Amino acid sequence: MSIRLTLAPGERIIVASRPHARQLVWPVVFAVVVCAAAGFGCGYLDRDALPGQVADWRGYLQSAVVVVAAVLLARFSVPPVLRWAFSRYIVTSQRLIHRQGVLRRRERELALASVFQLEAWQTVADRMQRSGTLVADVGYGQTVHYEHVPEVHKFKAIVLAAIGQLPMTAMFDGVDIEGDGDYDYEGRGDE
């Protein structure tokens, strides 16, 4: 059974993206090191010139090396990869959604009409990889942080364009400020 994102009438998905893959560098490096060490350990234990008692336990020791490597990978490499694979940033014409989690799903929805200000934060490493943190100010001193956003400035521009496409009534609780165009905003009547 596949459950898809439920959209409101007239709502459409503008962009859907995963977090930047840069956060996978250390788990992958760790996995390569663990696999290389396990391969070296199994190869060393497969030599003919092993001391007597070690040679007698060769099969058990090789199995122990493989089990330790599997436990290390399952603990330190697989969870970050799964978190990345099951995390999404989705911008619709009305909402900004962050879904994450493998076994425990967490979803944060933010109505675009509630966003007062957007900021993009980048470190030097973020700028080199064109990722960053998008910070949405939702008022009352509350901010929502979206970390590891790929192409953070383009993502921000897409969100701002989606906010600009919202009807003005959505932002002001039903007060129609679009009007009929006859009102002079500088206080002068039509002359």
Side-chain angles (χ1 to χ4, degrees):
M1 178 176 172
S2 176
I3 299 175
R4 308 299 265 170
L5 180 63
T6 305
L7 299 175
E11 184 178 19
R12 61 184 170 77
I13 295 177
I14 297 171
V15 67
S17 176
R18 283 194 177 104
H20 196 276
R22 182 183 66 145
Q23 61 189 350
L24 298 178
V25 169
W26 292 115
V28 169
V29 167
F30 183 77
V32 169
V33 169
V34 166
C35 290
F40 177 79
C42 287
Y44 181 80
L45 291 172
D46 204 30
R47 296 181 326 146
D48 290 333
L50 286 175
Q53 287 187 336
V54 174
D56 294 341
W57 290 87
R58 174 184 320 198
Y60 297 113
L61 292 174
Q62 285 178 332
S63 298
V65 167
V66 170
V67 167
V68 167
V71 167
L72 287 173
L73 290 175
R75 173 65 180 100
F76 296 108
S77 288
V78 173
V81 171
L82 290 177
R83 271 192 302 266
W84 174 81
F86 287 96
S87 184
R88 297 277 189 278
Y89 293 122
I90 303 168
V91 178
T92 71
S93 56
Q94 297 176 7
R95 300 178 284 171
L96 179 58
I97 303 166
H98 181 208
R99 285 184 166 179
Q100 59 186 7
V102 180
L103 298 176
R104 286 186 311 158
R105 175 70 86 180
R106 190 174 112 188
E107 185 172 305
R108 176 186 295 174
E109 291 186 17
L110 183 63
L112 293 179
S114 68
V115 176
F116 290 112
Q117 181 179 354
L118 284 175
E119 293 182 41
W121 293 351
Q122 290 182 306
T123 63
V124 173
D126 287 337
R127 282 190 296 172
M128 290 180 358
Q129 310 219 332
R130 296 183 308 197
S131 67
T133 301
L134 186 69
V135 180
D137 183 1
V138 293
Y140 302 107
Q142 295 181 357
T143 58
V144 180
H145 295 258
Y146 298 99
E147 296 180 346
H148 305 292
V149 176
E151 300 282 342
V152 69
H153 291 293
K154 287 183 183 178
F155 197 85
K156 177 184 170 189
I158 290 169
V159 173
L160 288 174
I163 290 171
Q165 295 298 318
L166 288 174
M168 294 300 274
T169 57
M171 294 185 197
F172 296 101
D173 297 325
V175 177
D176 186 9
I177 66 166
E178 289 180 348
D180 57 3
D182 292 339
Y183 181 73
D184 184 9
Y185 293 102
E186 293 183 15
R188 296 183 304 258
D190 288 335
E191 298 163 359

